Each structure stands twice: as C-alpha cells, then as structure tokens.
DNA sequence: CTGAAAGCGCTTACAG
DNA sequence: CTGAAAGCGCTTACAG
C-alpha cells in the first residue's frame, strides 16, 4: 500500500472540514466533540463526519490544549523504568481505561541527572501521578507549569491503597511462610536502582501482616547485587535464626536462592524463599522459585478508574473489587 | 518547606513577565528564547531574566507548540515495555542528550488492543522513532497528526545501524562459541511478548558473523516460556548435533540453561549457552550464565546525536565510535 | 438549530 | 535596539 501523503503539505484543519461540509468551523467542533447543549441536525452531523473522514482530519492537539486549558494527557511518574515483569500488564490496563475516556497515559522515569527538565514542563499534563509523594519543589514546578491535579495530593495524606505497592502480595508472601512453619522472617530487596518507595510500601505491608499473625517485625535488608554473590548476608541470616526470606520480587528471590545454593544450603530445609510477580525467571530458576502472582490487570483497571475520578470527578465504582493474589508454591518454600 | 502556591490561580504568562520587567511581551520571548538576530541590551536581558525568575514563569508549551509548529517532543515507540535490563541505561543517555538540546523524549509502547489511539495523535511530536519500519497506516496517521519526521524514514531503506539491535553483541556471542570450538549453533528467543523486530535484527547479525567464520547459518528457534520447561526443544537440538546456543538475552539463556540442568545435562560439556545483556540474573543463575555486556550508555549517546541530526539537521559527529561489547565468560560456555 | 467572534499564550516577520 | 500586531488552530460563551 502506498503511503497517502496530503497533496498540499499544509495540515487539514477544522476550517477545511467546515468548507467541505458546507457548515461553519464552530459547527465542526460541536459535532466532532459531541458538545452538550448543542442541537445539531442529523444531516449536518453526517456531513461533518463524512467530510472529516474524507479529509483525514485530526484536531491539532496543541491548539486544543491551548484553547480548552486541558491537554487530556496524564503523566505517570515511575520510580524506575518498568523493568518489573507484571507492571507491563498493569500499565496496559490503566492506559486502556484512560484511552476509552479520551485520555492518553504517558509514563516517565526521572533521569538520575539533575540537569534534565522534568517532562511535565513540556507536556502540559492535566494530572501527574507518582508512586509516592512528590517533593515540595516538584509540586511547585508542576503548579507553575499548569498541571491541574497531582496525585498523591500534596495537600492530603498519602493514600497507599492506590499505589503500586499491591499490599495484598506481600501479605500473602508472609502468610505462606507462616503456614509453612516459619517464624523468623526477613524482607529482602536490592539497593538502587530499584524503586525505593515501592520497597518501603511492600515491606510495610509485609510487616502489618506479620504483626497480625503474631510474628516479629521483618527487618528490611537491602542487597547490592552488583557486588557479586552476597554470601555473608545469607550467613548472617542463618546465624540470626532467620528461616524465611520474603523477597521484593523474583529477581531478588533469585539472587538469594542462587547465593544459598552456592553456599551449599538445601532449600527450603535450611532457608525458605518466596518471590513476588511470578515472572518467567521464577519458573526457570533451579530450584524453581515460589512466588506470588498478582492480578495486575484488574488492579490496573481499578487504578484507571481512580485516575478518571481524580481528573474528571467521575464517581468511583463501588464496591471496589480487591483482586486477590495467587500463591505459586514451587521448590523454594 | 511549604508549597509555594501562586496567589492568583492564573498561570504566569509572558505578559506578566513583560510588565514586571517593564518591556514588551515580544522582548520577553526574544530574551528567553535567545532568538538570533535580535540585539537586546544586557540591562534589558538581565531585567527579563530576573522578572521571569521572580514570578516563576514557565512558558505554556501548548501555546508555544501552536505558534511555532514544533513541540520539541520526540516520541520513541518501543516494541515492548523496556523489560530489557540494559535498555534502561540506553534510554537514560538518549534522554539526556536530547534534553541538553531542548527536546524531551517520551517512550511509548503500543497497546495490544486495537481500540487505543496511538500516542502521536495527542502528543504533537516533532519526530517519531521506531525500532523497525512503521506500517503504512501508521505512517499515514502520523503525517495527518502533524508529525514532522519519522524514523526509520518511510521513504528510505531501513538503516539497522541505529536500531536497538546492537549487532556487535550477537557477533561477539557467535565469535565466543566459535572460539570454544562450537560449530553447530542455534539462535534462541522467546515468542511474544518479546520484541520481534529486535529478535530478527540480532539473529541476522549473528548469522552474518557465522558466515564470515565459515559456520552454517543459525536457525532461529522461538520458545514459549509460558509452556513450562521446553525439554523437547533441547532434546531436538542435541539430536541435531547442536552444541552451542546463542540466546537473545539472559532471560532466554536462563530458560535454556534451566531446562538443560533439569534434563540432567552438564554445561558446557553437553551444551554451551551464551546470553546477552549481563543482567543481574546472569550472575545469580546456577550455573552462572556466560553473556555479553554492551556499553549501552555509549550507544545511547550516539543514538541521541543521531536523533538530533534527524530533527534539527545537526551534523553527525564523526568518526562514530562503535562501542565494543565485552565478553563475560561464566559457567555455561 | 447554526454562525460570527473573542480568546487561549505563544512566535515571528515587520516597522520603527 | 525595541515594540505593535498578525497568526497558529482550536474552544466556547453569545447572538441570532
């Protein structure tokens, strides 16, 4: 198929459509935007639609944003590139829900370098979403750039129920190890570059469940995987009487399990490990990793609805279904 | 620190800055944009900068885009979420180079669902970059949406030297297995959702090197990791006399190695496997995975320069340094 | 039921 | 060296 180039290099505007349809340019806007309180005859509507289709009209988003004061862009600031396996399905669903409501989701990871201008300066987002509270300078910068809403709301306390912590996951991890008879647990995560705020939130969720089960709090242990096999960390745990490791994700679980195997330990007899995500690596690893699978698609849909509530004032669907995570017990627990 | 809210909810405009500085609004634009062929006195410049600083002025990007016809946004369409470990450094560097030139990089992964409108419809990008050629309908849609440039250029043949294939990586993988005495090799990748175009490009690079070394072509074998351990695939290879596996990335290598270990094979005696990326999992896996590390940061910088060449017509820096990949030989080769 | 017109906040020739 | 003014392509009261 040959690429259809416009004969004139000029882009098609609403005025072109109006001329083609024989109406005013305002009418074109009313029809195409389905503006309420405008009664347009069916014949006119038809003609406008046909003309727009014929000419391949796409509204200029910059002009629309300038005139309406809304860009219909939602910016999601991620703590890290979405390397997490399940995050993909999650973001796909969020994106889909927003798209249906006429919004576009843009994901964005801050550069480590200070010099780079944050994306909200050039994007004119209606709403900026973070996975943790934004710093005061960030909030000030967003407001100066015309961002209309920020989540988490800087004026209100942080609402962890809509974060990416997926607290049901860590809770199930703890429950599982508890059921298997483990009482002394530790929470393991990597040091940078992994998402700090998500680590903190999931660790907190694990601790909450541990307390409810009458277990002592889980220490948060950050491992630098770049320093090679962290043999001594595992030794320390054994010396301290730890028998179960709750890992932030499957990569962390793999690091711990790999180290333990090389140290000659038998899993889960000497040490039980449970990951999070059920990423491909969990099944491939030798021994295969016990883990927890989150219905991220359902949570993504739910978060999408929440975002529309924030940006459009739509009512939140109630009752909100809390998607239950699934335990995937394999060889490490 | 308290969040500084503007006293009036109205956003600060160039007119406000002009009034504060006691100049015309046009002068504000000239100073802040450093417009060439405008000679503004140093005193005036100072006053404008001070006023803009004082008021916290941020130009409205929608107005700017509408008036200038350029958004200074570059859209990178990724074949998949950046799950690849090394892609992260790469994108960081591209982003940084573009930011210094006043451009913002937005990364974007197409939704599997057909219904969602592509992001270039709402973003007004100056340049859309793909990792493979775009379909004719996509190109038509971009042009209708005012995209000024597309890469790979739909009017010119695909230039693989600026793709994400990193052809030096696959070449080194093949060289290494060849050096270790392997003559019958196979190229392994996952089925969806992994990046098809990158698989094809890397497989081609591996084949090119194999031919130069006098080896037979590598078959491309796609494995569905969701179907559990692909035992029979490994069996087939052994029966066919294959002794070396070149894997698309470390995850694929892990799947193959895990399967082989479970099947009771000894690596690398029975089968040699080499991954790509040197991701954390490569060192953690038992046995640890031989792999290839790419200087993705250098390649990212190079690609950033190329993008600026495409969008701004800047000269390409020559000679272009081809960042040499590093072999990381571990237990599987 | 439809249209003329002001306005969003910039950029950019052009005139002094 | 600086400013007045047109124009980018929409949206949206407002008037018929």
């Amino acid at each position: 198929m040959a690429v259809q180039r416009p004969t004139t290099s000029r882009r098609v505007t609403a005025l072109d459509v109006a001329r083609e349809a024989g109406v005013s340019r305002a009418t074109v806007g009313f029809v195409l935007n389905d503006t309420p309180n405008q009664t347009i005859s069916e014949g006119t509507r038809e003609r406008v639609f046909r003309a727009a289709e014929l000419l391949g009209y796409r509204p200029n988003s910059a002009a629309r944003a300038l005139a309406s004061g809304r860009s219909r862009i939602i910016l999601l600031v991620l703590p890290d590139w979405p390397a997490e396996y399940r995050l993909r399905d999650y973001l796909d669903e969020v994106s889909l829900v927003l798209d249906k409501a006429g919004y576009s989701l843009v994901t964005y990871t801050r550069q480590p370098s200070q010099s780079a201008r944050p994306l909200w300066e050039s994007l004119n987002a209606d709403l900026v979403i973070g996975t943790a509270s934004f710093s005061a300078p960030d909030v000030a910068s967003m407001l100066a750039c015309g961002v209309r809403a920020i989540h988490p709301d800087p004026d209100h306390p942080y609402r962890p129920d809509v974060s990416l912590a997926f607290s049901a996951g860590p809770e199930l991890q703890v429950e599982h190890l508890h059921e298997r008879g483990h009482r002394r647990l530790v929470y393991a995560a990597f040091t940078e570059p992994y998402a700090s705020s998500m680590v903190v939130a999931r660790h907190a969720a694990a601790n909450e469940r541990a307390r409810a089960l009458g277990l002592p709090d889980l220490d948060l242990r950050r491992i630098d995987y770049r320093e090679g096999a962290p043999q001594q960390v595992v030794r320390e745990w054994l010396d301290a009487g730890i028998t179960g490791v709750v890992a932030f994700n499957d990569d962390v679980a793999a690091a711990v399990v790999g180290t333990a195997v090389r140290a000659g330990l038998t899993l889960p007899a000497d040490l039980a490990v449970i990951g999070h995500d059920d990423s491909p690596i969990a099944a491939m690893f030798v021994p295969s990793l016990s883990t927890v699978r989150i219905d991220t698609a359902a949570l993504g849909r739910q978060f999408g609805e929440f975002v529309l509530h924030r940006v459009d004032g739509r009512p939140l669907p109630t009752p909100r279904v809390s998607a239950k995570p699934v335990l995937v017990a394999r060889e490490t627990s």
Side-chain angles (χ1 to χ4, degrees), chain A:
Chain A
M1 191 200 312
V3 175
Q4 195 77 28
R5 302 249 184 193
T7 30
T8 163
S9 71
R10 198 175 57 74
R11 194 170 161 184
V12 176
T13 72
L15 187 56
D16 298 321
V17 177
R19 276 203 271 257
E20 176 73 28
V23 298
S24 82
R25 62 186 293 170
T27 304
V28 171
F30 293 147
V31 171
L32 262 31
N33 295 334
D34 210 12
T35 310
N37 305 327
Q38 295 291 143
T39 38
I40 313 270
S41 66
E42 200 44 54
T44 305
R45 286 172 55 82
E46 250 330 293
R47 283 212 311 286
V48 170
F49 280 127
R50 231 192 284 280
E53 175 74 31
L54 178 72
L55 300 176
Y57 170 66
R58 308 272 121 157
N60 180 319
S61 56
R64 184 195 286 247
L66 179 59
S68 71
R70 315 167 95 302
S71 64
R72 305 201 76 84
I73 285 175
I74 290 167
L75 184 64
L76 175 61
V77 182
L78 294 171
D80 197 350
W81 289 104
E84 284 231 299
Y85 179 68
R86 293 282 163 195
L87 204 47
R88 180 203 142 100
D89 304 326
Y90 184 83
L91 295 176
D92 277 351
E93 281 297 327
V94 177
S95 219
L96 206 61
V97 170
L98 297 184
D99 187 87
K100 277 181 192 148
Y103 286 95
S104 296
L105 181 74
V106 173
T107 56
Y108 163 56
T109 306
R110 298 285 295 272
Q111 299 308 310
S113 121
Q114 313 288 19
S115 67
R117 292 155 314 155
L119 193 52
W120 54 75
E121 294 206 359
S122 34
L123 223 55
N124 239 288
D126 290 338
L127 170 66
V128 179
I129 308 167
T131 54
S133 294
F134 289 106
S135 70
D138 278 354
V139 170
S141 155
M142 288 175 202
L143 293 175
C145 291
V147 169
R148 306 163 63 85
I150 300 171
H151 178 82
D153 192 324
D155 296 333
H156 290 84
Y158 179 46
R159 303 248 315 262
D161 61 315
V162 286
S163 80
L164 299 178
F166 307 141
S167 54
E171 287 170 10
L172 184 56
Q173 290 177 298
V174 169
E175 277 163 29
H176 173 65
L177 292 183
H178 177 256
E179 264 173 29
R180 289 280 206 258
H182 299 277
R183 294 297 175 264
R184 295 275 296 128
L185 308 178
V186 69
Y187 194 88
F190 285 141
T191 51
E192 297 307 323
Y194 282 80
S196 259
S197 61
M198 284 164 69
V199 169
V200 170
R202 287 193 194 168
H203 174 228
N207 261 341
E208 208 158 305
R209 195 77 197 97
R211 266 177 230 136
L213 291 168
L215 300 180
D217 276 10
L218 286 70
D219 281 340
L220 170 56
R221 186 64 156 99
R222 287 184 165 275
I223 301 168
D224 190 343
Y225 65 85
R226 281 163 298 196
E227 286 175 1
Q231 309 262 4
Q232 70 206 35
V233 173
V234 173
R235 279 274 153 244
E236 280 170 28
W237 286 342
L238 293 181
D239 291 347
I242 300 284
T243 65
V245 180
V246 176
F248 173 72
N249 61 21
D250 292 338
D251 281 358
V252 174
V256 171
V257 170
T259 305
V261 168
R262 281 174 209 285
L265 300 184
T266 306
L267 275 65
D270 299 325
L271 194 67
V273 181
I274 184 162
H276 186 292
D277 285 356
D278 195 21
S279 64
I281 211 68
M284 291 169 203
F285 213 83
V286 187
S288 60
L289 308 175
S290 293
T291 187
V292 144
R293 186 170 53 233
I294 307 286
D295 186 355
T296 38
L299 289 170
R301 228 166 296 135
Q302 194 164 289
F303 189 63
E305 302 288 350
F306 174 80
V307 168
L308 291 179
H309 164 69
R310 269 313 246 114
V311 82
D312 260 356
R314 304 194 181 192
L316 278 174
T318 48
R320 299 177 60 199
V321 189
S322 155
K324 284 264 173 282
V326 173
L327 182 78
V328 183
R330 294 204 181 92
E331 299 170 0
T332 60
S333 72

